[in-house]
Amino acid sequence: MEDKNEKQDQNLPAFDVKEKKSLKIRIKSALEKREEDMAINDVIFTEKLTPAEPDDETKPLNKGSVDMWFLLWTMLLICFGAVMSYSASAVYAEKNYDSATYFLWRYIIFTVASVAVTAVFVALARPWFWRLFGVGSYIAAILLLILVIFIGDTGGGAQRWIEVGPITIQPSEIAKMAVVMVLALYMSKYEKQINSTHKFGGNFKHGFFVPMIIIGILCALIILQPHLSGTIIVGLIGVMVMFLAGTRIKWLAIFVGIIGVVGILFISFFGYSMERVQIWLNIDSVDPLGEAWQTLQGLYAIGSGGFFGLGLGSSRQKFGYVSQPQNDFIFTIICEELGFVGAFVLVFLFGLLVWRGIKIGRNAPDKFCALVVWGLTLKIALQVLMNIAVVTNSMPNTGISLPFFSSGGSSLMLQIFEVGIILSISRFSTQKK
């Protein structure tokens, strides 16, 4: 009985043995490459489950420990944030809630709850799960941003919050995370086209046009609230992810220009935004007891701290001068009580966190994971820089919170969850640490 392979060989053209073997090898290689391309182009593809060889530092581990340095810097920032949340809010909480520890207990409760939930995802989630989560978070962000327009709570002339029992959700905060996740998913899928040098290779469509649509949908819904700072942050986060994914500089310049034009039109259309710009530009001539009150009181707090500060708990500006000092202007109280040294420690800790996040991204198992880690890390860095810029009057007052410090239960929980995403991915980093 003839062998099956021999029958197949008889159907081949009359080549010699070497040519037949060479043809088989080429066919097999082409089929393997096709399967590999299909796996790469699959939006939700599963990472290989085979363990890495002990001596191979380039293959991802199946399961490892979280990045302990990133976890350490996060824990230090949370502890620092809890202390300053209590110190900055004690007077305001006593006056308005009859308990000096009101905001401290809120901070502790939300932190414990978010850590408990996040730990489950860190322990069980694999990289493929975050691809599914990215799609889900983007859809959820769109639905919530639409919902907030109709049933959202209004404050300060804007409609940005949805109350769910004791928790107040700000959909724009979810949008900041969602834009990172879904851009990382899309741009890792079309990495080859984005990096193509061919005129019609797809670097415009996949590197600029579609990402701009993804970002633009969220920005359009956020600006309807209206929420200019949230729109700018989502846009800038998107630009950073696009840059890291390989989008051409000329396309990024066009996109930044579009964001700038939208910002100018928004400021011109909404009177309160133009008023804030005028206060920023003419802070010395604006009524210090009127619209410039909070900015000036924040600057007084920063200036009175000196090098070592007045001492923890010794702030004078939190006695009704800086309104709600536990929120966006908490950095001014830190400067007043702990001085330049305290402000430097805060910035240094954030710097260590960002540096470690960038390193985790460099060791990530694939492009998607790297973009997620870098995007979420740079999101933290961007908010820190913008918050400090606002309270030092380096940019107009736009209401930007300081991560892990500003009061806000849902935003704190979301920040901790984002840290959990990074820690989860760090478990699947390459063996080289």
Side-chain angles (χ1 to χ4, degrees):
M1 184 175 179
E2 292 184 332
D3 185 83
K4 186 178 180 180
N5 292 331
E6 291 178 358
K7 289 182 178 180
Q8 290 178 345
D9 289 345
Q10 291 176 359
N11 296 325
L12 293 174
F15 300 139
D16 59 30
V17 176
K18 289 184 178 180
E19 288 177 327
K20 290 179 181 179
K21 288 183 178 179
S22 177
L23 181 60
K24 284 183 178 180
I25 291 172
R26 290 199 298 271
I27 293 173
K28 183 179 179 181
S29 177
L31 290 173
E32 289 177 349
K33 187 176 185 303
R34 182 172 177 273
E35 290 177 358
E36 182 180 348
D37 290 341
M38 289 175 65
I40 291 174
N41 291 326
D42 186 8
V43 177
I44 309 297
F45 58 90
T46 306
E47 77 281 1
K48 294 180 179 179
L49 301 179
T50 55
E53 296 295 330
D55 58 346
D56 189 345
E57 294 183 340
T58 63
K59 293 182 180 179
L61 293 169
N62 269 338
K63 183 180 290 186
S65 62
V66 299
D67 189 278
M68 297 306 297
W69 286 110
F70 192 84
L71 178 60
L72 174 63
W73 306 138
T74 303
M75 291 174 62
L76 289 176
L77 282 167
I78 290 175
C79 291
F80 193 0
V83 172
M84 293 313 305
S85 177
Y86 169 66
S87 181
S89 67
V91 175
Y92 179 85
E94 181 69 37
K95 178 181 178 181
N96 293 277
Y97 299 96
D98 297 323
S99 174
T101 59
Y102 175 80
F103 287 100
L104 174 62
W105 280 113
R106 275 176 56 89
Y107 191 102
I108 293 173
I109 291 170
F110 281 114
T111 298
V112 171
S114 56
V115 168
V117 172
T118 302
V120 176
F121 288 92
V122 174
L124 300 179
R126 300 185 70 89
W128 66 263
F129 170 80
W130 298 118
R131 296 181 177 92
L132 292 170
F133 180 84
V135 176
S137 65
Y138 186 77
I139 295 172
I142 291 175
L143 294 177
L144 289 172
L145 287 170
I146 294 174
L147 193 62
V148 77
I149 296 173
F150 297 99
I151 64 169
D153 292 334
T154 303
Q159 194 164 330
R160 304 173 185 171
W161 301 271
I162 298 175
E163 285 192 7
V164 182
I167 300 176
T168 302
I169 299 174
Q170 190 170 1
S172 60
E173 292 296 322
I174 299 175
K176 295 173 187 176
M177 176 186 68
V179 74
V180 172
M181 303 291 289
V182 80
L183 277 179
L185 178 62
Y186 181 84
M187 302 190 82
S188 62
K189 171 179 168 62
Y190 293 102
E191 180 180 4
K192 183 184 295 185
Q193 290 89 335
I194 291 171
N195 294 323
S196 172
T197 57
H198 193 273
K199 185 176 182 180
F200 301 104
N203 60 67
F204 173 80
K205 175 184 177 182
H206 300 296
F208 172 70
F209 184 73
V210 175
M212 187 180 70
I213 297 299
I214 292 172
I215 300 168
I217 291 173
L218 295 177
C219 288
L221 292 172
I222 294 172
I223 208 166
L224 289 175
Q225 297 179 0
H227 190 4
L228 180 59
S229 62
T231 305
I232 292 173
I233 291 175
V234 169
L236 291 179
I237 292 172
V239 168
M240 290 189 294
V241 176
M242 290 168 66
F243 172 76
L244 293 169
T247 297
R248 302 284 182 86
I249 297 297
K250 62 180 179 180
W251 305 135
L252 290 176
I254 292 172
F255 193 23
V256 171
I258 292 172
I259 295 174
V261 170
V262 171
I264 293 172
L265 292 175
F266 182 91
I267 291 171
S268 302
F269 185 77
F270 290 98
Y272 81 93
S273 295
M274 179 61 74
E275 186 176 332
R276 289 184 177 183
V277 172
Q278 292 297 330
I279 294 171
W280 172 58
L281 294 174
N282 306 286
I283 191 67
D284 294 331
S285 58
V286 179
D287 181 10
L289 300 178
E291 296 297 331
W293 172 265
Q294 185 173 19
T295 299
L296 288 174
Q297 294 303 320
L299 292 174
Y300 295 155
I302 294 173
S304 63
F307 193 80
F308 293 106
L310 303 178
L312 184 63
S314 301
S315 167
R316 295 187 290 263
Q317 296 302 110
K318 66 184 179 184
F319 283 86
Y321 296 99
V322 175
S323 59
Q324 298 192 35
Q326 73 281 358
N327 283 338
D328 300 341
F329 273 64
I330 191 171
F331 183 77
T332 65
I333 306 301
I334 295 172
C335 291
E336 184 183 14
E337 295 189 349
L338 305 180
F340 173 81
V341 173
F344 176 80
V345 169
L346 180 145
V347 174
F348 184 67
L349 286 175
F350 274 116
L352 290 174
L353 186 75
V354 171
W355 167 76
R356 196 64 194 180
I358 293 173
K359 189 168 184 179
I360 293 172
R362 288 177 57 189
N363 293 331
D366 56 37
K367 186 66 173 286
F368 165 77
C369 292
L371 290 176
V372 167
V373 171
W374 287 334
L376 294 178
T377 300
L378 293 178
K379 168 186 173 293
I380 295 173
L382 179 64
Q383 285 208 204
V384 172
L385 290 175
M386 292 185 70
N387 176 268
I388 294 176
V390 165
V391 300
T392 57
N393 200 43
S394 300
M395 64 178 286
N397 189 344
T398 55
I400 299 172
S401 62
L402 183 62
F404 305 116
F405 285 82
S406 296
S407 176
S410 60
S411 61
L412 176 62
M413 293 180 73
L414 194 59
Q415 288 156 10
I416 292 175
F417 188 78
E418 290 169 354
V419 167
I421 295 175
I422 297 173
L423 289 174
S424 171
I425 291 174
S426 75
R427 300 189 67 193
F428 298 88
S429 304
T430 55
Q431 296 185 53
K432 186 175 181 180
K433 296 293 182 181

